[in-house]
Amino acid sequence: MAVATGLLLCGRAMAAEPLHAFNIPRQPLGAALVALATQAEVTISTGAAAQCAPQGQPVLGRLTLDAALTRMLAGTGCGYRMIDIRAVEIVRSPAPKPPQRDVVRAAPPPSLDTLIVVATRRPTRSDSLAYAVSALDGRSLSALGVHDAGDLALTTPSMTVTNLGAGRDKILIRGLSDGPLTGRTQSMVGLYLDDVRLTYNAPDPDLRLVDMAQVEVLRGPQGALYGAGSLGGILQLVTIQPQPGEFSGWISTTRALTRGGDGSGVLEGAVNLPFMGGRGAVRLVGYHDLQGGYINDAALGLTHVNRTVRDGGRLTATLQLSDRWTVSGGLVAQAINSDDTQYALAGQPPYTRRNQVREPHDNDFAEAHISLRGDLDGAEAHWTTALVRHRLASRYDASSMPPVPVPAGPAAFDDDDAIVSLITEATLTSKPTAPIQWLAGIFYSRSRQDVGLTLTSLASGPVEAFTETRQDHLDEGALFGEAVLPLTGDLSVTLGGRGFTSDTDVRSAISEPLARTASSFAGGMSHSGFAPKIVLAYSRSRSLLFYAQAAEGYRSAGVNTTGATGQVFSPEGGPEPNRFYQGDELWSFEAGVRASALDGRLVLRSAVFQAVWKNIQSDQLLASGLPFTANIGDGRNTGFEFEGGYSAGELLVRGNLLINGPELNRANPAFPARADLGLAGVPSAQAGASAHYAWRLPQGRSVEVDGRYAYVGASHLTFDAVTSPRMGGYSTGRIAAALADDRWRLTLAVDNPADARGDTFAYGNPFTLRTTRQVTPLRPRTISLSLRMAY
C-alpha cells in the first residue's frame, strides 16, 4: 500500500452511491483532492499524488464519489482504492478496488494540517481554521486504545476528566474548572453525539467510542456555532454513518488481565445493511464491556469491588429522498452498572478502603432523533429533533457522617436523577464554494429533571431519615450564527454571536420522618442575554495561519433547595448558602498560529490564551455533606498550548503540551483561596506524546506498533483553603503491537506499563471527604489481547 503523507478528513463519510455537489475547477492535483474531500465529506490519503500528473481534471455538477474521483484522476496516471468505509487512497494505476469497505488495517494517524473538522458546523480544513481544535479519526482512536472520554483526555491537549467512576465523571477543557462535583450547574463542556446535545447538567454518560468516524475537541465558548452554548468548549463525537448500496461489518473481541484484579472482556461489532436498492441503509452497532474490579473493601471483607459492566448499542438509518434531500434517524442506548466506587483510603494497603455500605452506581442513557439535510438555493439546510432520557442512581456510605441524626450503624445516601429533554436545532450554512462562509441557526430545548435524595438508616432494618423530591423544568431558546468576511486576499474577520433566553421552574419538598419535620419550596427565574464573538485570521499561504479571537459565554442562574429542614438559605449576597445563585460570565481571548513544513510532514499548532471568569458557579458541599451551588468569586486562566506532528513514511509522531495558571483571583469570603490552589481539579501542566510505525509484509499484511505517554500535573481537589487534598502529578501510557491485513487484526497491548499508582482523583464520598484522605489510583498494569475481523 502506498505511503500516505497526508489525510484529508471529514466527519461524515458518504457511500459511493449518493450524489454530491462538486465545483472544482482545474488546479494542482493536491489542492483539487483537498476540495473534493471537503465537498464530498470523505477521507483521502494523498501519499501517491506526487507521482501523478500535476494537474487534476475539473469536476462540476452533482456526481457520485466514484464518478468524481474517476473524472478528476483521468489522464493523471493514478487511480484510487477504498482503504476503509470512510477513506480513499490515491495509488498509481492500475488500482483494483476491493469490494469490502469495513476493513481493519490501521493507516497512520492523520497529519494535523490536513484534518477536515466538522465541529465548526461547516466541514473545514484545519490548516485554514482559526480555532484551537484537536481531532482523532476512528483508526487513530483504535490504535491508541481510546475507548471513552477518560482515554481521550490522555491523548488530547488541555482536556481533563474527573475519575469518580464510569458514568459519574465531569469533562473540563483548558483549565476552566468550576470544581470536581457534578450538581445543578450547566456543564462546562457541551457534549454532542453527531448533531444531538447529550447532557445539560448531568455527568458525562460515558458512551463507549465504538464505530466512530472522528472525535473532535473544540476549545472555548462556542455559542456562535451551537445553540446550547458552552463556556469551556465542545466535545463532538462523530459516528460512522450508514453506507447505502453495500453489506459490510466487523466484530471484535478482547480479553484483559489486570495485575491484582479481576479479568475484563469486551465484545463489540457493527453491521451495515442497505435497503430500497441502495437508496438507504441501516447501521447497527452493539457492545458489551466488562471491566474487572481492583479495589478491595477490608471492612466488608470484599475484594475487587469496583466491577463495572457497560452494555450499549446504536441503530442509525438513512434514506436518500432525492438527489438533494436526505432523511436520517437513529436510536442510542447504553446502561452502565457499577458494583461499587473506585476510591481507596490513604493509610490503608494499596487499593484498599473500609466502608460499611457498598456504593453502586447505575447510569442508563437513551436517545432517539430524526434529521433532515438538504440543499436550498445558495445554502445547505439541516434540522434535527431528539428526545434524550438519562437516569442516574448513586449510593454513598453515610454511616460515619450522616447529614441528619440517625441511629448508630450503617446508613446509605441515595441520589436518583431522571432527566428527559426534547431538543430541536436547525441550521442554514453557506455552500463550501461561497465567497462568504456563514452559518445561522435556531435552538430550543425543554427539559424536566426529577431528583430524589434519600438517607436510609440500615441499623435495624431500612428506615428513611431524610428525603428530598425536587422537580426542575427548564426551557432554553437561542438564535446563533457567524459569518467569515474576507477583508483582503490574506485577511478575514469572523463576526458572530448567540442571543439566548432560559426559564427555570423549581419545586422541592423535604421531610425528616424521624424528626417529624418537613419543608417545601416553589420558585423560578428567567435569564437572557447576548454573547458575541470576533476572530481575525491572516493566512499568507496554506502552510502558515495566524489568528486572534475573543468570545463570550454565559451560564444561567439557579436555585438551592437541598438541606436539612432547619437549613437556612440566605437572600442573594448574604452568607452562604444563598437561595439563588447568580449566572456567571466568561470571556476567552486567544492568539494562535498553525504552520506546516517539509511538504506537510511537519505540522505545528500553538496558542496563547487568557480566560476571564466572573461570578464562577461551583457545586459545593454543606457541612452535612449535602450539595449546594455557590458563586465562589472571580477567576482567570492564562496559558500556552502546543501540539505537533511529524510523519516520515510509515512513522508518525505526535506531541502536545499545556502550561497554564488557573486561579481564583477574587474569592467569595466563604471560600478563602490560597495562592497555590488554582482552580479546583485542573493541573497547571499537562503533556503527552504518541507514535505509530508499521512494517509492510507480503500478501498485504503488516506489523504495526503504537505507543502513547501522558503526564498529568498536580492539582488540588477543591477551592477550600483549609481542606483541599492534592492529586495528580503522575505519568501513564500504553504500548501495543498488532499483526493485520485488510480483513483481520490481532493486537497485544499493555496499559499503564509502569504500573503507576498516581492519584487521579482525590474524591469518592462526600460524607467522609473532610475526615478521610481519599485517593483514586490508576488502574494497575493491564494486558489485553484483541481480535477484530471484517466481513
Side-chain angles (χ1 to χ4, degrees):
M1 189 171 75
V3 175
T5 59
L7 290 175
L8 314 179
L9 181 59
C10 176
R12 294 175 177 81
M14 302 295 288
E17 288 74 12
L19 297 174
H20 307 274
F22 293 104
N23 183 5
I24 306 173
R26 183 185 296 275
Q27 57 185 302
L29 182 59
L33 289 169
V34 170
L36 190 146
T38 304
Q39 295 176 26
E41 302 188 4
V42 295
T43 296
I44 301 181
S45 173
T46 61
Q51 305 174 38
C52 310
Q55 291 284 329
Q57 302 298 325
V59 180
L60 304 173
R62 299 190 63 81
L63 302 169
T64 66
L65 175 60
D66 285 319
L69 284 165
T70 301
R71 183 173 299 183
M72 176 175 289
L73 296 172
T76 64
C78 284
Y80 68 95
R81 64 187 295 267
M82 304 302 296
I83 59 175
D84 67 20
I85 64 171
R86 309 186 58 252
V88 180
E89 182 185 16
I90 305 303
V91 295
R92 291 286 298 169
S93 297
K97 293 179 287 180
Q100 72 271 8
R101 296 297 181 93
D102 276 304
V103 299
V104 297
R105 180 185 304 283
S111 299
L112 299 175
D113 67 328
T114 50
L115 283 171
I116 295 179
V117 300
V118 298
T120 56
R121 296 296 181 93
R122 298 184 305 278
T124 309
R125 290 196 331 263
S126 64
D127 60 351
S128 61
L129 190 63
Y131 293 92
V133 59
S134 299
L136 287 174
D137 74 334
R139 290 167 295 164
S140 300
L141 295 171
S142 177
L144 296 175
V146 176
H147 304 300
D148 53 28
D151 293 331
L152 184 65
L154 297 176
T155 65
T156 303
S158 307
M159 182 174 170
T160 302
V161 177
T162 61
N163 197 20
L164 187 60
R168 304 187 187 199
D169 294 332
K170 190 173 189 175
I171 300 174
L172 304 168
I173 291 178
R174 205 179 250 178
L176 296 177
S177 170
D178 57 358
L181 308 181
T182 300
R184 306 285 177 256
T185 58
Q186 181 180 353
S187 302
M188 288 294 298
V189 176
L191 179 60
Y192 275 75
L193 180 68
D194 293 322
D195 302 302
V196 178
R197 185 187 73 175
L198 300 185
T199 64
Y200 175 76
N201 64 353
D204 171 23
D206 208 7
L207 298 178
R208 185 169 172 85
L209 303 181
V210 178
D211 208 48
M212 287 287 154
Q214 186 160 321
V215 175
E216 301 173 1
V217 179
L218 188 59
R219 300 161 183 79
Q222 299 301 332
L225 296 176
Y226 290 82
S230 68
L231 261 67
I234 294 290
L235 173 57
Q236 174 88 51
L237 310 178
V238 184
T239 65
I240 294 176
Q241 295 298 291
Q243 307 297 302
E246 66 180 34
F247 170 81
S248 61
W250 60 269
I251 188 169
S252 173
T253 182
T254 301
R255 295 293 298 172
L257 296 175
T258 296
R259 188 193 64 78
D262 287 337
S264 303
V266 179
L267 180 65
E268 56 190 10
V271 61
N272 191 89
L273 302 170
F275 62 87
M276 294 186 66
R279 289 181 54 201
V282 172
R283 193 169 186 92
L284 179 63
V285 179
Y287 52 90
H288 170 75
D289 176 11
L290 185 155
Q291 296 297 311
Y294 54 90
I295 298 295
N296 305 317
D297 195 312
L300 295 175
L302 300 173
T303 60
H304 312 156
V305 296
N306 59 316
R307 174 182 180 270
T308 297
V309 176
R310 176 167 45 183
D311 294 301
R314 297 195 307 268
L315 175 66
T316 310
T318 185
L319 175 64
Q320 192 163 350
L321 301 176
S322 68
D323 63 349
R324 301 184 68 182
W325 290 93
T326 301
V327 63
S328 62
L331 302 170
V332 177
Q334 180 179 274
I336 297 175
N337 296 283
S338 299
D339 293 344
D340 219 318
T341 46
Q342 59 188 29
Y343 68 94
L345 295 180
Q348 296 290 321
Y351 309 105
T352 300
R353 68 164 182 255
R354 292 180 173 272
N355 280 2
Q356 296 186 53
V357 176
R358 298 201 70 175
E359 299 179 332
H361 173 76
D362 290 344
N363 187 316
D364 298 328
F365 179 87
E367 175 260 309
H369 69 273
I370 185 170
S371 297
L372 183 66
R373 181 188 294 271
D375 293 342
L376 297 175
D377 291 337
E380 296 181 356
H382 190 196
W383 163 82
T384 299
T385 293
L387 179 66
V388 177
R389 293 179 178 270
H390 200 182
R391 176 73 179 267
L392 306 100
S394 299
R395 168 167 282 198
Y396 298 99
D397 181 2
S399 305
S400 61
M401 297 288 291
V404 299
V406 297
F413 185 84
D414 293 288
D415 184 345
D416 197 344
D417 287 12
I419 306 165
V420 179
S421 299
L422 180 65
I423 304 167
T424 296
E425 190 161 353
T427 59
L428 285 175
T429 59
S430 57
K431 299 285 189 179
T433 56
I436 296 179
Q437 293 291 294
W438 55 270
L439 174 148
I442 184 170
F443 170 87
Y444 174 74
S445 172
R446 181 170 180 81
S447 301
R448 169 176 165 171
Q449 182 174 13
D450 291 283
V451 179
L453 305 178
T454 306
L455 174 67
T456 304
S457 171
L458 304 175
S460 57
V463 177
E464 290 186 355
F466 170 88
T467 65
E468 179 184 15
T469 57
R470 170 170 165 155
Q471 186 176 99
D472 290 31
H473 289 273
L474 173 65
D475 289 283
E476 303 171 85
L479 296 173
F480 60 97
E482 67 176 30
V484 184
L485 308 175
L487 301 179
T488 68
D490 303 327
L491 184 66
S492 67
V493 60
T494 300
L495 300 176
R498 173 179 180 256
F500 63 92
T501 182
S502 66
D503 292 283
T504 303
D505 181 76
V506 177
R507 299 288 186 272
S508 170
I510 293 175
S511 69
E512 294 184 42
L514 297 180
R516 300 179 184 272
T517 59
S519 62
S520 63
F521 172 83
M525 60 184 59
S526 298
H527 188 212
S528 61
F530 178 76
K533 167 186 174 180
I534 183 171
V535 183
L536 284 173
Y538 177 79
S539 178
R540 189 68 178 177
S541 67
R542 279 191 54 196
S543 62
L544 189 62
L545 169 71
F546 298 94
Y547 68 91
Q549 65 169 300
E552 187 182 24
Y554 289 97
R555 289 191 296 182
S556 298
V559 182
N560 286 312
T561 62
T562 303
T565 53
Q567 177 68 56
V568 176
F569 291 97
S570 304
E572 185 177 311
E576 294 289 352
N578 291 172
R579 173 64 79 182
F580 298 94
Y581 55 89
Q582 304 174 38
D584 54 358
E585 170 196 12
L586 185 142
W587 270 100
S588 175
F589 305 95
E590 178 180 337
V593 58
R594 294 178 179 272
S596 63
L598 305 177
D599 296 325
R601 290 183 289 117
L602 176 64
V603 183
L604 305 172
R605 182 189 68 79
S606 65
V608 293
F609 58 87
Q610 182 174 62
V612 180
W613 198 354
K614 300 293 185 181
N615 291 324
I616 299 174
Q617 294 177 7
S618 178
D619 294 310
Q620 299 289 315
L621 296 175
L622 299 168
S624 63
L626 296 175
F628 77 105
T629 303
N631 295 103
I632 61 170
D634 298 341
R636 64 189 175 198
N637 187 23
T638 303
F640 168 79
E641 184 180 75
F642 165 85
E643 63 179 327
Y646 173 76
S647 61
E650 299 292 347
L651 172 69
L652 192 141
V653 180
R654 302 173 72 159
N656 63 76
L657 173 68
L658 170 71
I659 299 174
N660 62 163
E663 61 177 334
L664 191 66
N665 60 305
R666 186 198 63 82
N668 181 331
F671 304 95
R674 287 204 326 248
D676 63 327
L677 290 189
L679 294 179
V682 288
S684 58
Q686 292 175 264
S690 65
H692 171 97
Y693 191 80
W695 292 266
R696 301 303 173 184
L697 304 177
Q699 300 179 338
R701 294 190 175 94
S702 63
V703 174
E704 301 164 10
V705 293
D706 291 274
R708 61 174 165 88
Y709 165 84
Y711 168 75
V712 178
S715 62
H716 290 268
L717 177 71
T718 68
F719 295 96
D720 185 352
V722 178
T723 58
S724 186
R726 178 185 169 97
M727 59 190 188
Y730 63 88
S731 298
T732 187
R734 170 186 167 94
I735 53 176
L739 176 65
D741 70 7
D742 287 341
R743 302 300 298 272
W744 57 267
R745 180 179 181 86
L746 184 66
T747 304
L748 177 66
V750 182
D751 287 272
N752 189 12
D755 203 24
R757 294 180 181 177
D759 184 5
T760 64
F761 195 44
Y763 176 70
N765 185 310
F767 302 105
T768 57
L769 178 62
R770 293 182 175 91
T771 59
T772 63
R773 173 70 171 92
Q774 302 170 12
V775 299
T776 303
L778 288 163
R779 175 177 282 271
R781 181 190 299 118
T782 299
I783 301 174
S784 62
L785 183 66
S786 303
L787 175 63
R788 173 168 168 152
M789 300 188 68
Y791 53 89

